[in-house]
Amino acid sequence: MQGHNRPFFILVALLLLEFQSCRIAQPDNKVQVLDPGLELTLLAQEPQITTPIGMAIDRNDAIYILESHTHSPPENYTGPNGDLIKKMTDKDGDGTPESWSVFAEGIHNGANLAIDDEGKVYVTAKKHLLSFEDIDGDGRSDRVDTLVVLDPPEYVYDHAGLLGIALGPDRGIYCSRGNLGGKAWRLTASDGSYLQGYGTGGMIFRCEKDGSNLQSVASGFWNPFDLKFTHTGRLLATDNDPDSRGPNRLLEIVQGGRYGFECLYGGSGLHPYLAWNGELPGTLPMVAPLGEAPCALIDASFTNFGTGYDQCILVNVWEEKNIVKIPLQKKESSIQGFPEVLIQGDTSFHPVALVTDSKGNIYISDWVKREYPNHGRGKIWRLSAKSPRSSPAVGTDDSQIQRGLKKGDPQLLFEALVQADRFERTVMRALLNNENDFPAIRSHLDDRDAQHRLEALLILVESDYFLDRDKLLDLLHDEHPEVRKMAMIYTGKKMRTDLQGSLRTLLDEERIGPDLMDIFLATVQHLQPEFIENYRNQTGVTADKQENKFPENFIVSILRDHEIPGKVRSLVVPHLDPEEITASLMGELLSTNESPELISSLLHACERKNDTSTKEIVLEISRSDQFPGNVRAQAVQVISRLQDQFCGDLLQILSEDDDALVNYAALKGLHKCRSEVKVDETVTAILQERSAVDLLQVWTGENRMNANDRMSISEESFEKGNSDRGQIVFRQPSSQCVTCHKVHGWGGTIGPDLSRIGSSKSRQQLIDAVLNPSMEIAPEWQGWYVIDSMGKEHAGRQIDVHLNRAELMNLDGSFENFPYPRGYGVLENSIMPEGLEKALTRTEFVDLITYLQDLK
């Protein structure tokens, strides 16, 4: 690692800097500290330091900085051929380093570093964990040891190899590895111990300081950039988010933790086997949401900033050019918080690392430019209290990774497990994941208590234990939905083809809901012979490219199976391939007068197909009194979208049909035809003749909602709310609800799924969400904007910023590239537009809220 062809003049230049003071004047760029009691001082910039990333401080407060020169440098790059570790020394103790030296050089693809009390420096490079040691005391490393090697894969993306590093209270080294895009990988330690996998997500591992005794700590990450221990011994990590699921995360790491992501299921993060905030049993939630590209974190208790920082974490958010402060509160045995901006920079501020010295000052490395390749710019900042307000905390010798728990009697440990919180349960499951304990664990699958059965199953899911077929079949039919869910995942992940023929019996029960159906279908795909063979043989470069499909005509065969309840069959309709949605199939299924849920789903499928081939059968349903009014009304809505010239059909329905709900749906569709004078006059005449005051107000636009109506709608009005009419309002394009929100498998994915919103939100909360959508924004639904090269602003759900372009997930779920954008950032308000209620009458608004309340 030491030798390379770095030009001699660079060595000379660095040595000349040895005795040069590095305190310089404040630059012109705007970096605002929002706490008036703190000040930010620029200590160094190029040429003294360029593209700095990781930092560490030794017991004498000397600062070691990893200066990157191998981060995808451009072809004409004139810097060194390898990364450097530079050392800044404050000899007089005034907080400002006076001298510079080079501690080590020749590192390739360095990411981060740490230093122990003996002065040994540990470095994560893309494919290596290294240690550097100054044996002869001359201030330069003269010994390099390779502790852990990542190989394969041959190629690793810059932000996906070995990333974060932290030295634990237990004197072990903790490192993070990013996701490798589904490639097969192997970590090999100095003593020959190893970890390996294929299709997994990122992970955190531990080894001794000599690289021995390699152990997995936690898994399920995207790209966990940084690791740090708090003064209380908690291990925290920052993690970047997948392509279509956010936000980025601050996580607490515990032994055996599962954090929800696996590359096998693609980069979107939306597969039913995945979780991002503890949604699946056995996975853990985030401590706090973070903005785009979070880098370093640090426990602010190690500063002298005062009591307002004692229980806070600071995080550098690279893409948003800021540093956030996260006040923490206890939640069960873990912690939780929400970020607030502490420092906001401009386009030339991109903070990476955070470290503290013994006095409680913070030092920040700044990449400066929003360009990934090495570019020759860089800064080092110091954040300090104008008047120190406290003494820095002293770190504990006790790690919280195992919550103080130790291996013991498996039965006693299991009994304690079911009484613990989810973080403690995770540690206990890891302690019980031992083949000697499996017989005892297996016995709990017969327990009367569903929580016992679930916990036992979660242990076995993460083990190599082969569960007998009869017991697994019992669990697949368990009365508890979470047990059934994990039994399906066990069946899929263990590729239990012996259960393939029995899986379909699960559809005979009406207990299966939309989320369980998604997992059922994913499990069916897991058991296909081609997928199993390719996965086991690691065919192809990456696991996420393995084709994962249903057996031929699988979905259609379920729809044609009348032994399966119609309500259950309705749940597979969203999974129909568009080519399978034919007039023949729709005619066959829609003519059977099955359950309303199935008919409704089939009508959705016709609408998604969006051609006129199914128009006649849909029109027939709209006119047939064999179907209930809400189904016929939905058919009317579909008609208005299947063709351009539908005004005559809708006018006929309005004039001839006496069902109020069907009339209402026809009237909403006819709004597109109002420009035709004959239509306007005819509709008005029909409604006046029927004295349909409510419908006439809908047609004329009278009695629309306004800002003052929020407080004036009476309780009695809501008691008279019509949920069926509210469903029509929800589905109407002009309301924009269905554009972003999904209900029972249909709709958009930009906003949260509302299938059970009535179970979690009160009426008042639903009213507030519609009238003031920015009042409460869940972190995972944070919006982004991009200002394109012409100056136009675009809003979306997710963003991925590249060197000369930004990719935005649009409100319809598609992705759009914007070359050379003028700007981008987090939307201050919700991506749900304000003022949607203005398109509704007061009665329609009440109906919409009533419908949402009924979604349980």
Side-chain angles (χ1 to χ4, degrees):
M1 295 298 296
Q2 290 288 334
H4 60 77
N5 299 318
R6 187 163 57 95
F8 178 75
F9 73 86
I10 296 179
L11 277 171
V12 174
L14 288 168
L15 291 172
L16 288 173
L17 291 172
E18 172 95 27
F19 301 105
Q20 179 181 339
S21 172
C22 64
R23 180 159 185 160
I24 56 181
Q26 289 282 3
D28 292 333
N29 65 312
K30 299 174 182 177
V31 183
Q32 183 180 9
V33 182
L34 302 183
D35 182 343
L38 304 180
E39 61 181 350
L40 192 65
T41 305
L42 182 62
L43 297 181
Q45 62 181 349
E46 70 282 349
Q48 287 174 323
I49 192 72
T50 60
T51 49
I53 41 178
M55 293 198 299
I57 295 183
D58 68 17
R59 61 193 307 173
N60 298 314
D61 284 344
I63 305 173
Y64 293 72
I65 306 167
L66 183 58
E67 184 179 79
S68 173
H69 295 280
T70 59
H71 192 274
S72 301
E75 291 183 8
N76 59 350
Y77 187 65
T78 59
N81 295 334
D83 302 338
L84 310 176
I85 298 178
K86 290 185 175 180
K87 183 178 179 181
M88 294 171 56
T89 306
D90 174 16
K91 295 184 176 180
D92 60 11
D94 68 349
T96 302
E98 294 84 22
S99 67
W100 288 78
S101 60
V102 175
F103 177 76
E105 56 189 324
I107 303 163
H108 290 276
N109 301 302
N112 218 323
L113 72 165
I115 187 167
D116 66 17
D117 289 343
E118 288 74 43
K120 184 180 287 190
V121 176
Y122 303 88
V123 175
T124 50
K126 186 186 295 185
K127 299 190 69 176
H128 301 88
L129 171 60
L130 308 166
S131 67
F132 293 81
E133 194 171 1
D134 176 13
I135 302 294
D136 59 15
D138 67 349
R140 290 179 62 87
S141 169
D142 40 38
R143 174 171 177 170
V144 182
D145 290 309
T146 300
L147 307 183
V148 178
V149 176
L150 173 64
D151 186 39
E154 181 178 352
Y155 171 77
V156 176
Y157 174 60
D158 284 335
H159 301 160
L162 304 191
L163 297 169
I165 183 169
L167 303 182
D170 58 0
R171 300 185 63 79
I173 301 175
Y174 291 81
C175 289
S176 61
R177 171 187 61 75
N179 88 79
L180 299 168
K183 297 176 183 177
W185 59 271
R186 181 183 173 105
L187 285 169
T188 306
S190 59
D191 63 349
S193 57
Y194 67 91
L195 300 168
Q196 62 185 6
Y198 178 61
T200 63
M203 70 177 301
I204 293 171
F205 63 89
R206 181 197 181 281
C207 65
E208 303 298 332
K209 287 187 177 181
D210 62 359
S212 64
N213 194 24
L214 185 64
Q215 299 174 345
S216 174
V217 175
S219 62
F221 309 98
W222 179 259
N223 281 332
F225 190 89
D226 193 31
L227 297 173
K228 288 287 194 318
F229 279 91
T230 69
H231 73 288
T232 59
R234 297 182 188 273
L235 179 60
L236 303 184
T238 56
D239 191 23
N240 286 264
D241 59 355
D243 297 339
S244 303
R245 189 169 190 170
N248 298 279
R249 308 183 288 184
L250 177 66
L251 300 166
E252 182 182 4
I253 309 304
V254 294
Q255 184 65 47
R258 300 290 180 264
Y259 294 86
F261 179 77
E262 295 180 60
C263 294
L264 174 61
Y265 306 111
S268 71
L270 299 176
H271 190 276
Y273 279 17
L274 301 182
W276 195 243
N277 193 21
E279 296 89 351
L280 281 178
T283 62
L284 293 173
M286 64 185 77
V287 170
L290 296 173
E292 188 66 11
C295 293
L297 69 101
I298 201 162
D299 180 357
S301 300
F302 291 127
T303 70
N304 59 13
F305 296 173
T307 55
Y309 291 81
D310 282 351
Q311 303 298 325
C312 295
I313 299 297
L314 305 185
V315 178
N316 288 342
V317 185
W318 194 89
E319 195 64 74
E320 297 181 22
K321 304 170 285 292
N322 63 29
I323 299 176
V324 297
K325 170 186 174 183
I326 306 173
L328 298 174
Q329 294 182 336
K330 195 80 179 293
K331 184 174 183 181
E332 297 179 331
S333 71
S334 187
I335 47 179
Q336 192 175 56
F338 197 85
E340 53 193 50
V341 176
L342 176 64
I343 297 175
Q344 183 63 58
D346 63 1
T347 55
S348 61
F349 181 67
H350 288 89
V352 183
L354 289 169
V355 291
T356 54
D357 63 15
S358 63
K359 302 178 183 64
N361 301 303
I362 287 181
Y363 296 84
I364 306 159
S365 66
D366 182 358
W367 190 262
V368 179
K369 296 179 69 175
R370 211 229 137 267
E371 295 180 10
Y372 285 165
N374 299 112
H375 48 66
R377 300 287 305 279
K379 290 183 173 72
I380 302 295
W381 303 86
R382 183 183 66 217
L383 181 65
S384 55
K386 293 177 180 177
S387 299
R389 294 174 285 193
S390 61
S391 299
V394 177
T396 181
D397 291 332
D398 296 324
S399 168
Q400 290 295 309
I401 291 177
Q402 291 203 227
R403 290 292 194 269
L405 298 165
K406 296 180 180 179
K407 180 67 177 171
D409 179 88
Q411 290 289 8
L412 293 177
L413 191 58
F414 192 91
E415 291 300 323
L417 184 154
V418 295
Q419 304 297 324
D421 70 37
R422 60 197 306 178
F423 282 82
E424 294 167 336
R425 291 200 302 270
T426 296
V427 176
M428 293 178 184
R429 286 195 298 268
L431 292 172
L432 287 166
N433 193 345
N434 184 302
E435 61 179 327
N436 295 327
D437 296 333
F438 289 160
I441 301 304
R442 165 63 176 79
S443 68
H444 286 287
L445 295 175
D446 299 318
D447 201 293
R448 283 180 147 187
D449 190 312
Q451 187 63 39
H452 283 229
R453 299 195 300 276
L454 178 61
E455 293 298 335
L457 183 54
L458 288 172
I459 293 170
L460 299 180
V461 166
E462 299 298 334
S463 74
D464 295 326
Y465 185 78
F466 185 88
L467 191 57
D468 58 280
R469 185 182 184 280
D470 289 343
K471 176 46 63 178
L472 183 52
L473 194 57
D474 286 345
L475 295 170
L476 287 168
H477 290 273
D478 195 277
E479 63 182 18
H480 196 284
E482 298 292 83
V483 174
R484 295 202 303 276
K485 181 183 295 184
M486 293 313 301
M488 289 185 204
I489 291 176
Y490 177 95
T491 301
K493 287 193 170 185
K494 304 303 180 185
M495 300 180 179
R496 292 291 299 270
T497 55
D498 57 321
L499 269 296
Q500 190 167 13
S502 302
L503 276 179
R504 191 149 168 165
T505 62
L506 299 176
L507 302 181
D508 297 338
E509 307 172 15
E510 291 203 11
R511 294 183 300 174
I512 190 166
D515 55 341
L516 280 177
M517 178 60 78
D518 288 343
I519 289 176
F520 166 82
L521 294 173
T523 301
V524 170
Q525 291 178 324
H526 250 283
L527 299 183
Q528 299 316 298
E530 184 178 358
F531 172 78
I532 293 174
E533 181 181 1
N534 290 337
Y535 179 80
R536 288 177 174 168
N537 295 332
Q538 298 184 8
T539 304
V541 178
T542 62
D544 62 326
K545 298 299 188 295
Q546 305 293 0
E547 193 169 9
N548 209 337
K549 57 186 179 181
F550 297 116
E552 188 174 359
N553 295 322
F554 179 74
I555 299 297
V556 173
S557 70
I558 291 176
L559 290 173
R560 285 176 166 156
D561 187 346
H562 296 278
E563 297 298 318
I564 300 173
K567 183 176 181 180
V568 173
R569 282 186 285 154
S570 73
L571 300 176
V572 305
V573 178
H575 298 273
L576 272 173
D577 188 280
E579 297 301 318
E580 295 177 310
I581 305 173
T582 64
S584 173
L585 178 65
M586 292 299 106
E588 171 193 339
L589 297 172
L590 287 169
S591 62
T592 58
N593 194 13
E594 294 264 8
S595 72
E597 294 89 354
L598 178 58
I599 300 299
S600 177
S601 269
L602 292 169
L603 289 171
H604 276 300
C606 292
E607 182 180 345
R608 186 175 70 181
K609 180 73 171 180
N610 197 27
D611 65 28
T612 58
S613 63
T614 58
K615 178 208 167 185
E616 292 304 321
I617 184 67
V618 174
L619 190 59
E620 183 180 331
I621 290 173
S622 72
R623 292 170 172 168
S624 172
D625 58 9
Q626 295 182 29
F627 297 97
N630 61 337
V631 171
R632 294 173 56 216
Q634 183 185 354
V636 170
Q637 284 190 294
V638 173
I639 289 168
S640 68
R641 299 174 210 172
L642 288 181
Q643 55 176 343
D644 293 331
Q645 302 299 320
F646 53 83
C647 301
D649 293 325
L650 296 183
L651 267 177
Q652 184 177 0
I653 291 171
L654 182 67
S655 61
E656 296 178 358
D657 205 297
D658 58 2
D659 188 287
L661 200 60
V662 174
N663 284 335
Y664 177 67
L667 188 67
K668 295 296 286 186
L670 281 166
H671 269 81
K672 290 184 181 179
C673 311
R674 290 201 65 178
S675 58
E676 300 180 27
V677 176
K678 182 179 178 182
V679 170
D680 192 15
E681 292 176 349
T682 303
V683 169
T684 301
I686 291 172
L687 298 179
Q688 287 177 339
E689 182 181 347
R690 294 179 180 175
S691 300
V693 177
D694 281 354
L695 293 182
L696 195 59
Q697 288 178 344
V698 171
W699 183 248
T700 61
E702 296 177 21
N703 200 26
R704 291 280 176 89
M705 285 284 293
N706 61 58
N708 298 321
D709 282 336
R710 178 178 179 177
M711 303 302 296
S712 61
I713 300 177
S714 66
E715 183 74 21
E716 183 180 359
S717 297
F718 282 105
E719 290 176 359
K720 295 179 180 178
N722 187 318
S723 183
D724 288 333
R725 273 182 43 136
Q727 185 177 41
I728 295 174
V729 173
F730 183 88
R731 291 174 177 164
Q732 196 65 24
S734 59
S735 304
Q736 300 185 48
C737 303
V738 77
T739 304
C740 298
H741 298 285
K742 185 176 288 188
V743 171
H744 302 320
W746 298 99
T749 57
I750 290 296
D753 190 313
L754 302 182
S755 300
R756 295 186 179 131
I757 191 67
S759 299
S760 60
K761 300 291 183 183
S762 67
R763 179 195 297 160
Q764 190 57 54
Q765 286 176 310
L766 293 171
I767 293 171
D768 291 338
V770 175
L771 297 181
N772 188 5
S774 298
M775 178 183 292
E776 181 182 348
I777 306 174
E780 59 266 36
W781 302 108
Q782 169 186 278
W784 288 82
Y785 70 87
V786 170
I787 301 174
D788 65 24
S789 58
M790 302 300 291
K792 183 179 179 181
E793 183 173 312
H794 307 262
R797 261 279 289 121
Q798 288 281 99
I799 193 170
D800 192 7
V801 182
H802 305 270
L803 180 58
N804 294 315
R805 64 184 176 89
E807 185 179 46
L808 189 70
M809 181 181 179
N810 291 320
L811 298 183
D812 63 359
S814 65
F815 287 86
E816 185 174 359
N817 273 299
F818 297 92
Y820 301 99
R822 292 187 184 183
Y824 51 85
V826 178
L827 289 170
E828 292 185 5
N829 295 323
S830 170
I831 55 177
M832 178 175 167
E834 294 189 5
L836 293 178
E837 76 281 356
K838 295 177 182 177
L840 308 178
T841 66
R842 289 161 57 96
T843 300
E844 287 179 312
F845 179 79
V846 169
D847 292 340
L848 175 62
I849 298 300
T850 302
Y851 168 66
L852 295 175
Q853 280 187 279
D854 287 348
L855 291 174
K856 297 178 180 178

